[in-house]
Coordinates of all heavy atoms in Angstrom, one line a residue:
M1 N -29.4 10.0 23.2 CA -29.8 10.1 21.7 C -29.9 11.6 21.3 O -30.3 12.4 22.0 CB -31.2 9.4 21.6 CG -31.7 9.3 20.2 SD -30.7 8.1 19.3 CE -31.4 8.3 17.7
A2 N -29.5 11.8 20.0 CA -29.6 13.2 19.6 C -31.0 13.7 19.3 O -31.9 12.9 19.0 CB -28.7 13.1 18.2
N3 N -31.1 15.0 19.4 CA -32.4 15.6 19.1 C -32.4 16.3 17.7 O -33.5 16.5 17.1 CB -32.6 16.7 20.2 CG -33.0 16.1 21.5 OD1 -33.6 15.0 21.6 ND2 -32.6 16.8 22.6
I4 N -31.2 16.5 17.2 CA -31.1 17.3 15.9 C -31.3 16.2 14.8 O -30.7 15.2 14.8 CB -29.7 17.9 15.9 CG1 -29.6 18.9 17.0 CG2 -29.6 18.6 14.5 CD1 -28.2 19.5 17.2
K5 N -32.1 16.6 13.8 CA -32.5 15.7 12.7 C -31.2 15.2 11.9 O -31.0 14.0 11.6 CB -33.5 16.3 11.8 CG -34.0 15.4 10.8 CD -35.2 16.1 10.0 CE -35.8 15.2 9.0 NZ -36.9 15.8 8.3
S6 N -30.3 16.2 11.6 CA -29.1 15.8 10.8 C -28.2 14.9 11.6 O -27.6 14.0 11.0 CB -28.4 17.1 10.4 OG -27.9 17.8 11.5
Q7 N -28.2 15.1 13.0 CA -27.3 14.2 13.7 C -28.0 12.8 13.8 O -27.2 11.7 13.9 CB -27.1 14.7 15.1 CG -26.1 14.0 16.0 CD -24.8 14.0 15.3 OE1 -24.3 14.9 14.7 NE2 -24.0 12.9 15.4
K8 N -29.3 12.6 13.7 CA -29.9 11.3 13.7 C -29.6 10.6 12.5 O -29.3 9.5 12.5 CB -31.4 11.5 13.9 CG -31.9 11.9 15.3 CD -33.3 12.1 15.4 CE -33.8 12.5 16.7 NZ -35.3 12.7 16.7
K9 N -29.6 11.4 11.3 CA -29.3 10.8 10.0 C -27.8 10.4 10.1 O -27.4 9.3 9.6 CB -29.5 11.9 8.9 CG -30.9 12.1 8.6 CD -30.9 13.2 7.5 CE -32.3 13.6 7.2 NZ -32.3 14.7 6.2
R10 N -26.9 11.2 10.7 CA -25.4 10.9 10.8 C -25.2 9.6 11.5 O -24.4 8.9 11.1 CB -24.8 12.1 11.4 CG -23.3 12.1 11.2 CD -23.0 12.5 9.8 NE -21.9 11.6 9.4 CZ -21.6 11.1 8.2 NH1 -22.2 11.6 7.2 NH2 -20.6 10.3 8.0
I11 N -26.0 9.4 12.6 CA -25.8 8.2 13.4 C -26.2 7.0 12.6 O -25.4 5.9 12.6 CB -26.7 8.3 14.7 CG1 -26.2 9.3 15.7 CG2 -26.8 6.9 15.3 CD1 -27.0 9.7 16.8
K12 N -27.3 7.0 11.8 CA -27.6 5.9 10.9 C -26.6 5.7 9.9 O -26.3 4.5 9.6 CB -29.0 6.3 10.2 CG -30.2 6.2 11.1 CD -31.4 6.4 10.2 CE -32.7 6.5 11.2 NZ -33.9 6.9 10.3
T13 N -26.1 6.7 9.3 CA -25.1 6.6 8.2 C -23.8 6.0 8.8 O -23.2 5.1 8.1 CB -24.7 8.0 7.6 OG1 -25.9 8.6 7.2 CG2 -23.8 7.8 6.4
N14 N -23.4 6.4 9.9 CA -22.2 5.9 10.6 C -22.3 4.3 10.9 O -21.4 3.6 10.7 CB -21.9 6.7 11.9 CG -21.3 8.0 11.6 OD1 -20.9 8.3 10.5 ND2 -21.4 8.9 12.6
E15 N -23.5 4.0 11.4 CA -23.8 2.5 11.7 C -23.7 1.8 10.3 O -23.2 0.6 10.4 CB -25.1 2.5 12.3 CG -25.5 1.0 12.7 CD -24.4 0.3 13.7 OE1 -23.8 1.1 14.4 OE2 -24.4 -0.9 13.7
K16 N -24.3 2.2 9.2 CA -24.2 1.5 8.0 C -22.7 1.3 7.5 O -22.3 0.2 7.1 CB -25.0 2.2 6.9 CG -26.5 2.1 7.0 CD -27.1 2.8 5.8 CE -28.6 3.1 6.0 NZ -29.1 4.0 5.0
A17 N -21.9 2.4 7.7 CA -20.5 2.3 7.2 C -19.8 1.4 8.2 O -19.0 0.6 7.7 CB -20.0 3.8 7.3
R18 N -20.1 1.4 9.4 CA -19.5 0.4 10.4 C -19.7 -1.0 10.0 O -18.8 -1.8 10.1 CB -19.9 0.8 11.8 CG -19.1 0.1 12.9 CD -19.6 0.3 14.3 NE -21.0 -0.3 14.5 CZ -21.1 -1.6 14.9 NH1 -20.0 -2.4 15.1 NH2 -22.3 -2.1 15.0
Q19 N -21.0 -1.3 9.7 CA -21.4 -2.6 9.4 C -20.7 -3.1 8.1 O -20.2 -4.2 8.0 CB -22.9 -2.8 9.2 CG -23.7 -2.5 10.4 CD -23.6 -3.7 11.3 OE1 -23.3 -4.8 10.9 NE2 -23.8 -3.4 12.6
R20 N -20.6 -2.2 7.1 CA -20.0 -2.5 5.9 C -18.5 -2.7 6.0 O -17.9 -3.6 5.5 CB -20.1 -1.3 4.9 CG -20.0 -1.6 3.4 CD -20.4 -0.4 2.4 NE -21.6 0.2 2.8 CZ -21.6 1.5 3.1 NH1 -20.5 2.3 3.1 NH2 -22.7 2.2 3.5
N21 N -17.8 -1.8 6.9 CA -16.4 -2.1 7.1 C -16.1 -3.3 7.9 O -15.1 -4.0 7.6 CB -15.9 -0.8 8.0 CG -15.7 0.4 7.2 OD1 -15.8 0.4 5.9 ND2 -15.6 1.5 7.8
M22 N -17.0 -3.7 8.8 CA -16.7 -5.0 9.6 C -16.9 -6.2 8.6 O -16.1 -7.1 8.7 CB -17.8 -5.1 10.6 CG -17.5 -4.4 12.0 SD -18.6 -4.5 13.3 CE -19.7 -5.8 12.9
S23 N -17.8 -6.1 7.7 CA -18.0 -7.2 6.8 C -16.8 -7.3 5.9 O -16.3 -8.4 5.6 CB -19.2 -6.9 5.9 OG -19.3 -7.8 4.9
F24 N -16.2 -6.2 5.4 CA -15.1 -6.2 4.5 C -13.9 -6.7 5.2 O -13.1 -7.5 4.8 CB -14.9 -4.9 3.9 CG -14.1 -4.9 2.6 CD1 -14.8 -5.2 1.4 CD2 -12.7 -4.8 2.6 CE1 -14.2 -5.3 0.3 CE2 -12.1 -4.9 1.4 CZ -12.8 -5.1 0.2
K25 N -13.6 -6.2 6.5 CA -12.5 -6.7 7.2 C -12.6 -8.1 7.5 O -11.5 -8.8 7.5 CB -12.5 -5.9 8.7 CG -11.9 -4.6 8.6 CD -11.8 -4.0 10.0 CE -11.2 -2.6 10.0 NZ -11.1 -2.1 11.4
S26 N -13.8 -8.7 7.6 CA -13.9 -10.1 7.9 C -13.5 -10.9 6.6 O -12.8 -11.9 6.8 CB -15.4 -10.5 8.3 OG -15.6 -11.8 8.4
K27 N -13.9 -10.4 5.5 CA -13.5 -11.0 4.3 C -12.1 -11.0 4.1 O -11.5 -12.0 3.7 CB -14.0 -10.3 3.0 CG -15.5 -10.6 2.6 CD -15.8 -9.8 1.4 CE -17.2 -9.7 1.1 NZ -17.6 -8.8 0.0
V28 N -11.3 -10.0 4.4 CA -9.9 -9.9 4.3 C -9.2 -10.8 5.2 O -8.3 -11.5 4.8 CB -9.4 -8.4 4.6 CG1 -7.9 -8.3 4.6 CG2 -9.9 -7.5 3.5
R29 N -9.7 -10.8 6.5 CA -9.1 -11.8 7.5 C -9.2 -13.2 7.0 O -8.3 -14.0 7.3 CB -9.7 -11.6 8.8 CG -9.1 -10.4 9.5 CD -9.5 -10.4 11.0 NE -10.2 -9.1 11.3 CZ -11.4 -8.9 11.6 NH1 -12.3 -9.9 11.7 NH2 -11.8 -7.7 11.8
T30 N -10.4 -13.6 6.5 CA -10.6 -14.9 6.0 C -9.7 -15.3 4.9 O -9.1 -16.4 4.9 CB -12.1 -15.1 5.5 OG1 -12.9 -14.7 6.6 CG2 -12.4 -16.4 5.1
A31 N -9.4 -14.3 4.0 CA -8.5 -14.6 2.9 C -7.1 -14.8 3.4 O -6.4 -15.6 2.9 CB -8.6 -13.4 1.9
I32 N -6.7 -14.0 4.3 CA -5.4 -14.1 4.9 C -5.2 -15.5 5.6 O -4.2 -16.2 5.4 CB -5.1 -13.0 5.9 CG1 -5.0 -11.7 5.1 CG2 -3.9 -13.3 6.8 CD1 -4.9 -10.5 6.0
K33 N -6.2 -15.9 6.4 CA -6.2 -17.2 7.0 C -6.2 -18.4 6.0 O -5.5 -19.3 6.2 CB -7.4 -17.4 7.9 CG -7.4 -16.6 9.2 CD -8.6 -16.7 10.0 CE -8.6 -15.8 11.2 NZ -9.9 -15.8 11.9
K34 N -6.7 -18.3 4.8 CA -6.8 -19.3 3.9 C -5.3 -19.5 3.3 O -4.7 -20.5 3.1 CB -7.7 -19.0 2.7 CG -9.1 -19.3 2.9 CD -9.9 -19.0 1.7 CE -11.4 -19.3 2.0 NZ -12.2 -19.0 0.8
V35 N -4.6 -18.3 3.0 CA -3.2 -18.4 2.5 C -2.4 -19.0 3.6 O -1.6 -19.9 3.3 CB -2.7 -16.9 2.2 CG1 -1.2 -17.0 1.9 CG2 -3.5 -16.3 1.1
E36 N -2.5 -18.6 4.9 CA -1.7 -19.2 6.0 C -2.0 -20.7 6.1 O -1.0 -21.4 6.4 CB -2.0 -18.5 7.3 CG -1.4 -17.1 7.3 CD -1.9 -16.2 8.5 OE1 -2.9 -16.7 9.2 OE2 -1.3 -15.2 8.8
A37 N -3.2 -21.1 6.0 CA -3.5 -22.6 6.0 C -2.8 -23.3 4.8 O -2.4 -24.4 5.0 CB -5.1 -22.8 6.0
D38 N -2.9 -22.7 3.7 CA -2.3 -23.3 2.5 C -0.8 -23.5 2.7 O -0.2 -24.5 2.3 CB -2.6 -22.5 1.2 CG -4.1 -22.6 0.8 OD1 -4.7 -23.5 1.3 OD2 -4.5 -21.7 0.1
V39 N -0.2 -22.4 3.3 CA 1.3 -22.6 3.5 C 1.6 -23.6 4.6 O 2.5 -24.4 4.3 CB 1.8 -21.2 4.0 CG1 3.2 -21.3 4.5 CG2 1.7 -20.1 2.9
K40 N 0.8 -23.7 5.5 CA 1.0 -24.7 6.5 C 0.8 -26.1 6.0 O 1.5 -27.1 6.4 CB -0.1 -24.5 7.7 CG 0.4 -25.1 9.0 CD -0.6 -24.6 10.1 CE 0.2 -24.6 11.4 NZ -0.6 -24.0 12.5
A41 N -0.1 -26.4 4.9 CA -0.3 -27.6 4.3 C 0.7 -27.9 3.2 O 0.5 -28.9 2.5 CB -1.7 -27.7 3.9
N42 N 1.6 -26.9 2.9 CA 2.5 -27.1 1.8 C 1.9 -27.2 0.5 O 2.4 -27.8 -0.4 CB 3.5 -28.2 2.0 CG 4.7 -27.8 2.9 OD1 5.0 -26.6 2.9 ND2 5.3 -28.8 3.5
A43 N 0.7 -26.6 0.2 CA 0.0 -26.5 -1.0 C 0.4 -25.2 -1.7 O -0.3 -24.2 -1.7 CB -1.4 -26.6 -0.8
K44 N 1.5 -25.2 -2.5 CA 2.0 -24.1 -3.1 C 1.1 -23.4 -4.2 O 0.8 -22.2 -4.2 CB 3.4 -24.3 -3.8 CG 4.1 -23.0 -4.3 CD 5.6 -23.2 -4.4 CE 6.1 -21.7 -4.8 NZ 7.5 -21.7 -4.5
E45 N 0.6 -24.2 -5.1 CA -0.4 -23.7 -6.1 C -1.6 -23.1 -5.6 O -2.0 -22.0 -5.9 CB -0.8 -24.9 -7.0 CG 0.4 -25.5 -7.8 CD 1.1 -24.4 -8.7 OE1 0.5 -23.6 -9.3 OE2 2.3 -24.5 -8.7
K46 N -2.2 -23.8 -4.6 CA -3.4 -23.2 -3.8 C -3.1 -22.0 -3.1 O -3.8 -21.0 -3.1 CB -4.0 -24.3 -2.9 CG -5.3 -23.8 -2.3 CD -6.3 -24.9 -2.4 CE -7.6 -24.6 -1.6 NZ -8.2 -23.3 -2.0
A47 N -1.9 -22.0 -2.5 CA -1.4 -20.7 -1.7 C -1.2 -19.6 -2.7 O -1.6 -18.4 -2.3 CB -0.1 -21.1 -0.9
I48 N -0.7 -19.8 -3.8 CA -0.4 -18.6 -4.8 C -1.8 -18.1 -5.3 O -2.0 -16.9 -5.3 CB 0.4 -19.2 -5.9 CG1 1.8 -19.4 -5.5 CG2 0.4 -18.1 -7.1 CD1 2.7 -20.1 -6.5
S49 N -2.8 -19.0 -5.5 CA -4.1 -18.5 -6.0 C -4.8 -17.7 -4.9 O -5.4 -16.7 -5.1 CB -5.0 -19.6 -6.6 OG -5.3 -20.5 -5.6
D50 N -4.7 -18.3 -3.7 CA -5.3 -17.7 -2.5 C -4.6 -16.3 -2.2 O -5.3 -15.3 -1.7 CB -5.4 -18.5 -1.2 CG -6.5 -19.6 -1.4 OD1 -7.4 -19.5 -2.3 OD2 -6.4 -20.6 -0.7
L51 N -3.3 -16.2 -2.4 CA -2.6 -15.1 -2.2 C -3.1 -13.9 -3.1 O -3.2 -12.8 -2.7 CB -1.1 -15.3 -2.4 CG -0.2 -14.1 -2.3 CD1 -0.1 -13.5 -0.9 CD2 1.2 -14.5 -2.7
N52 N -3.3 -14.2 -4.3 CA -3.8 -13.3 -5.3 C -5.1 -12.7 -4.9 O -5.4 -11.5 -5.0 CB -3.9 -13.9 -6.7 CG -2.6 -14.1 -7.3 OD1 -1.6 -13.6 -6.9 ND2 -2.5 -15.1 -8.2
V53 N -5.9 -13.6 -4.4 CA -7.3 -13.0 -3.9 C -7.1 -12.2 -2.7 O -7.7 -11.1 -2.6 CB -8.2 -14.3 -3.5 CG1 -9.4 -13.8 -2.8 CG2 -8.6 -15.1 -4.7
A54 N -6.3 -12.5 -1.7 CA -6.0 -11.8 -0.6 C -5.4 -10.4 -0.9 O -5.8 -9.4 -0.3 CB -5.0 -12.5 0.4
I55 N -4.4 -10.4 -1.8 CA -3.8 -9.1 -2.2 C -4.9 -8.2 -2.9 O -4.9 -7.0 -2.6 CB -2.6 -9.4 -3.2 CG1 -1.5 -9.9 -2.4 CG2 -2.2 -8.1 -4.0 CD1 -0.2 -10.3 -3.2
S56 N -5.7 -8.8 -3.7 CA -6.8 -8.0 -4.3 C -7.7 -7.3 -3.3 O -8.0 -6.1 -3.4 CB -7.6 -8.9 -5.3 OG -8.6 -8.2 -5.7
L57 N -8.1 -8.2 -2.4 CA -9.0 -7.6 -1.2 C -8.3 -6.5 -0.4 O -8.9 -5.6 0.0 CB -9.4 -8.8 -0.4 CG -10.5 -9.7 -0.9 CD1 -10.8 -10.9 0.0 CD2 -11.8 -8.9 -1.1
L58 N -7.0 -6.8 -0.2 CA -6.2 -5.7 0.7 C -6.2 -4.5 -0.2 O -6.3 -3.4 0.4 CB -4.9 -6.2 1.0 CG -4.9 -7.2 2.1 CD1 -3.5 -8.0 2.2 CD2 -5.1 -6.5 3.5
D59 N -6.0 -4.5 -1.4 CA -5.9 -3.3 -2.3 C -7.2 -2.6 -2.3 O -7.3 -1.4 -2.2 CB -5.4 -3.7 -3.7 CG -3.9 -4.0 -3.8 OD1 -3.2 -3.6 -2.8 OD2 -3.6 -4.6 -4.7
K60 N -8.3 -3.4 -2.4 CA -9.7 -2.8 -2.4 C -9.9 -2.1 -1.0 O -10.6 -1.1 -1.0 CB -10.8 -3.9 -2.7 CG -10.8 -4.3 -4.1 CD -11.8 -5.4 -4.4 CE -11.7 -5.9 -5.8 NZ -12.7 -7.0 -5.9
S61 N -9.4 -2.8 0.0 CA -9.8 -2.2 1.4 C -9.1 -0.8 1.5 O -9.6 0.0 2.3 CB -9.3 -3.2 2.5 OG -7.9 -3.2 2.5
V62 N -7.9 -0.6 0.9 CA -7.2 0.7 1.0 C -8.0 1.7 0.3 O -8.3 2.8 0.8 CB -5.8 0.5 0.4 CG1 -5.2 1.9 0.3 CG2 -4.9 -0.3 1.3
V63 N -8.6 1.4 -1.0 CA -9.3 2.3 -1.7 C -10.6 2.6 -1.0 O -11.0 3.9 -1.0 CB -9.7 1.7 -3.2 CG1 -10.7 2.5 -3.8 CG2 -8.4 1.4 -4.0
K64 N -11.3 1.7 -0.3 CA -12.4 1.9 0.3 C -12.2 2.7 1.7 O -13.2 3.1 2.3 CB -13.2 0.7 0.6 CG -13.8 0.0 -0.6 CD -14.4 -1.3 -0.3 CE -14.9 -2.1 -1.5 NZ -16.2 -1.8 -1.9
G65 N -11.1 2.7 2.1 CA -10.7 3.4 3.4 C -10.9 2.5 4.6 O -11.0 3.0 5.8
V66 N -10.9 1.2 4.4 CA -11.1 0.3 5.6 C -9.8 0.1 6.2 O -9.8 0.1 7.5 CB -11.6 -1.1 5.0 CG1 -11.8 -2.1 6.2 CG2 -13.0 -0.9 4.4
F67 N -8.7 -0.1 5.5 CA -7.4 -0.2 6.1 C -6.5 0.9 5.6 O -6.7 1.5 4.5 CB -6.7 -1.5 5.7 CG -7.3 -2.8 6.4 CD1 -7.8 -3.8 5.6 CD2 -7.2 -2.9 7.7 CE1 -8.3 -5.0 6.1 CE2 -7.7 -4.0 8.3 CZ -8.3 -5.0 7.6
H68 N -5.5 1.3 6.5 CA -4.5 2.2 6.0 C -3.5 1.5 5.1 O -3.3 0.3 5.1 CB -3.7 2.6 7.3 CG -2.7 3.7 7.1 ND1 -1.5 3.6 6.7 CD2 -2.9 5.1 7.3 CE1 -0.9 4.7 6.6 NE2 -1.7 5.7 6.9
H69 N -3.0 2.3 4.1 CA -2.2 1.7 3.1 C -0.9 1.0 3.6 O -0.5 0.1 3.0 CB -1.8 2.8 2.0 CG -0.9 3.9 2.5 ND1 0.4 3.8 2.1 CD2 -1.2 5.0 3.2 CE1 1.0 4.7 2.7 NE2 0.2 5.5 3.3
K70 N -0.4 1.5 4.7 CA 0.8 0.9 5.2 C 0.4 -0.5 5.9 O 1.2 -1.4 5.8 CB 1.5 1.8 6.1 CG 2.2 2.9 5.4 CD 3.1 3.6 6.3 CE 3.8 4.8 5.5 NZ 4.7 5.5 6.3
T71 N -0.7 -0.6 6.5 CA -1.2 -1.8 7.1 C -1.4 -2.9 6.0 O -0.9 -4.1 6.1 CB -2.5 -1.6 7.9 OG1 -2.4 -0.6 8.8 CG2 -3.0 -2.9 8.5
A72 N -2.1 -2.5 4.9 CA -2.3 -3.4 3.8 C -1.0 -3.9 3.2 O -0.7 -5.0 2.9 CB -3.1 -2.7 2.7
G73 N 0.0 -3.0 3.1 CA 1.3 -3.2 2.5 C 2.1 -4.2 3.3 O 2.7 -5.2 2.9
R74 N 2.0 -4.0 4.7 CA 2.6 -4.9 5.6 C 2.1 -6.3 5.5 O 2.9 -7.2 5.5 CB 2.5 -4.3 7.0 CG 3.3 -5.2 8.0 CD 3.2 -4.5 9.4 NE 1.9 -4.3 9.9 CZ 1.2 -3.2 10.1 NH1 1.8 -2.1 9.8 NH2 0.0 -3.2 10.5
E75 N 0.8 -6.4 5.4 CA 0.0 -7.7 5.3 C 0.5 -8.4 4.0 O 0.8 -9.7 4.0 CB -1.4 -7.6 5.4 CG -1.9 -7.3 6.9 CD -1.6 -8.5 7.8 OE1 -1.7 -9.7 7.3 OE2 -1.5 -8.2 8.9
K76 N 0.5 -7.7 2.9 CA 0.8 -8.3 1.6 C 2.2 -8.7 1.6 O 2.5 -9.9 1.1 CB 0.6 -7.2 0.5 CG -0.9 -6.9 0.2 CD -1.0 -6.1 -1.0 CE -0.3 -4.7 -1.0 NZ -0.7 -3.9 -2.2
S77 N 3.2 -8.0 2.2 CA 4.6 -8.3 2.3 C 4.7 -9.6 3.1 O 5.4 -10.6 2.7 CB 5.3 -7.2 2.9 OG 6.7 -7.6 3.0
R78 N 4.1 -9.7 4.2 CA 4.2 -10.8 5.1 C 3.6 -12.1 4.5 O 4.4 -13.2 4.5 CB 3.4 -10.6 6.4 CG 3.5 -11.6 7.5 CD 2.8 -11.2 8.7 NE 1.3 -11.2 8.5 CZ 0.6 -12.4 8.5 NH1 1.2 -13.6 8.7 NH2 -0.6 -12.4 8.3
L79 N 2.5 -12.0 3.8 CA 1.9 -13.1 3.1 C 2.8 -13.6 1.9 O 3.0 -14.8 1.7 CB 0.6 -12.8 2.5 CG -0.6 -12.7 3.6 CD1 -1.8 -12.2 3.0 CD2 -0.8 -13.9 4.4
Q80 N 3.4 -12.6 1.1 CA 4.2 -12.9 0.1 C 5.5 -13.7 0.5 O 5.9 -14.6 -0.1 CB 4.7 -11.6 -0.6 CG 5.2 -11.7 -2.0 CD 4.1 -12.0 -3.0 OE1 3.0 -12.3 -2.7 NE2 4.5 -11.9 -4.2
L81 N 6.0 -13.3 1.6 CA 7.2 -14.0 2.2 C 6.9 -15.4 2.6 O 7.6 -16.3 2.3 CB 7.7 -13.2 3.5 CG 8.7 -12.1 3.3 CD1 8.9 -11.4 4.6 CD2 9.9 -12.6 2.7
L82 N 5.7 -15.6 3.2 CA 5.2 -17.0 3.5 C 5.2 -17.9 2.4 O 5.7 -19.0 2.3 CB 3.9 -16.9 4.2 CG 3.9 -16.5 5.7 CD1 2.3 -16.4 6.2 CD2 4.5 -17.4 6.6
V83 N 4.6 -17.3 1.3 CA 4.4 -18.2 0.1 C 5.8 -18.4 -0.7 O 6.0 -19.5 -1.1 CB 3.4 -17.5 -0.9 CG1 3.3 -18.2 -2.2 CG2 2.0 -17.5 -0.3
N84 N 6.6 -17.3 -0.7 CA 7.9 -17.5 -1.4 C 8.8 -18.5 -0.7 O 9.6 -19.1 -1.4 CB 8.5 -16.1 -1.5 CG 7.9 -15.2 -2.5 OD1 7.1 -15.7 -3.4 ND2 8.2 -13.9 -2.4
N85 N 8.6 -18.6 0.6 CA 9.5 -19.6 1.3 C 9.1 -21.0 1.3 O 9.7 -21.9 1.9 CB 9.7 -19.1 2.8 CG 10.5 -17.9 3.0 OD1 11.3 -17.6 2.1 ND2 10.2 -17.1 4.0
L86 N 7.9 -21.3 0.6 CA 7.5 -22.6 0.4 C 8.5 -23.4 -0.5 O 9.0 -22.8 -1.4 CB 6.0 -22.7 -0.2 CG 4.9 -22.6 0.8 CD1 3.6 -22.6 0.0 CD2 4.9 -23.8 1.8
K87 N 8.6 -24.6 -0.2 CA 9.5 -25.5 -1.1 C 8.8 -26.1 -2.3 O 7.7 -26.4 -2.3 CB 10.1 -26.6 -0.2 CG 11.0 -26.0 0.8 CD 11.6 -27.1 1.7 CE 12.5 -26.4 2.7 NZ 12.5 -26.9 4.1

């Protein structure tokens, strides 16, 4: 454990940020799984609406610094392909 006051504050701040990032990553993963489940069930309308939510969350995650922009772009592209290939 740190003895320096500023380092103790930094540890608390880092933990808060870690918790916030974990929560946001979980939201994004859940949104992605919803889209994948809709595609598996052949529910195109639901898949499109869930895709929009997932894309929005991925864009927000880039702005917040949770995901790298290329990671988010890759996920968006992959989901878009899944939905576009639905009949």
